[in-house]
Amino acid sequence: MKHYYNSMSRAVTTDWMLKELDIKHEQIQIDLTVKSEELLHLQQINPMGKVPILKDAQTVVTEVAAICAYLADKYPEKKLAPEIHSIDRGTYYRYLFVTGNTIEPALTLAAAQITHPKPATAGWGDMTRVMSTLEALTPTTNWALGNQFTAADIVFGGLLASSVVFGILEASPKVAAYIDRIQQRPAYQDACRAFI
Ligand SMILES: N[C@@H](CCC(=O)N[C@@H](CS)C(=O)NCC(=O)O)C(=O)O
């Protein structure tokens, strides 16, 4: 299994997932700033030319949440996903999808000081609604699904943590406490050592 990665990118989240799983894989560091052979190869695998990418035999997985979900299901014994027919599965999907579809675009636009002219037509609506959603989804204790730490925390919590570290998000006390729990995890510390 190959993980195309850069230590100062969103691939840190998939690296964290791989470290939580503690599985053998090949880490391929991509310099996104120069037109290297690796970068050209990466653009052939992923037309977006972006990292992270996971290549598992013939399967190519792109997008942080898709990679984390794929890995969690591939290694069920590591218990980083609720069981397929568990009642928690819907909530789990919600965390995985709301992060990249709704929260991240909203935070990215806000960081660039851009306001969408028609929030009702933007999938993420507006910052007021996104902040209420983010606050409501943040667990008061433990993890997104209660006692079980899952890929939902890696995807959702990972975005919250990096957004605070990079000054894109101001954490409420509840969000700060959740990020603190995340930052205590050895695998997180290992994956994020380039910027924390
Ligand atoms: N939606 C993608 C975003 C990936 C992404 O934006 N990666 C950035 C690094 S953080 C990248 O590779 N940028 C290089 C470029 O766009 O040329 C995901 O969730 O994986």
Side-chain angles (χ1 to χ4, degrees):
M1 197 152 50
K2 292 182 178 175
H3 182 225
Y4 295 82
Y5 159 90
N6 178 285
S7 58
M8 287 300 287
S9 79
R10 288 169 176 85
V12 164
T13 306
T14 44
D15 186 41
W16 174 24
M17 178 75 191
L18 285 158
K19 286 180 162 53
E20 291 279 355
L21 289 167
D22 193 22
I23 48 165
K24 223 177 121 196
H25 62 280
E26 189 185 338
Q27 187 90 299
I28 300 165
Q29 173 80 30
I30 304 286
D31 183 343
L32 296 163
T33 61
V34 288
K35 284 247 169 289
S36 62
E37 244 174 63
E38 282 90 354
L39 188 61
L40 292 175
H41 177 58
L42 179 133
Q43 282 162 347
Q44 282 166 2
I45 308 172
N46 178 11
M48 283 297 290
K50 284 181 177 285
V51 292
I53 303 172
L54 187 79
K55 197 158 183 286
D56 186 14
Q58 299 312 309
T59 303
V60 172
V61 193
T62 62
E63 300 297 315
V64 168
I67 293 170
C68 291
Y70 176 85
L71 288 169
D73 287 348
K74 186 176 166 89
Y75 300 97
E77 70 282 7
K78 305 280 181 173
K79 302 214 177 298
L80 286 178
E83 284 178 17
I84 188 81
H85 296 301
S86 145
I87 197 162
D88 285 335
R89 196 77 184 188
T91 307
Y92 172 69
Y93 286 135
R94 189 178 175 202
Y95 277 95
L96 292 182
F97 289 98
V98 78
T99 303
N101 289 354
T102 306
I103 300 174
E104 198 196 271
L107 291 178
T108 304
L109 279 192
Q113 297 181 324
I114 296 169
T115 307
H116 195 285
K118 290 185 182 165
T121 65
W124 53 92
D126 53 62
M127 272 314 274
T128 308
R129 285 187 269 174
V130 168
M131 290 307 290
S132 309
T133 304
L134 187 158
E135 192 68 24
L137 287 177
T138 298
T140 309
T141 57
N142 298 346
W143 310 112
L145 299 184
N147 289 335
Q148 186 185 4
F149 175 83
T150 66
D153 297 293
I154 295 179
V155 172
F156 174 74
L159 177 70
L160 300 193
S162 61
S163 300
V164 168
V165 168
F166 290 111
I168 295 171
L169 174 69
E170 213 173 296
S172 68
K174 184 166 82 152
V175 171
Y178 176 51
I179 292 174
D180 193 49
R181 292 195 291 285
I182 279 170
Q183 290 178 334
Q184 303 295 323
R185 298 188 71 86
Y188 176 89
Q189 291 170 9
D190 200 10
C192 298
R193 61 183 175 276
F195 61 87
I196 56 167

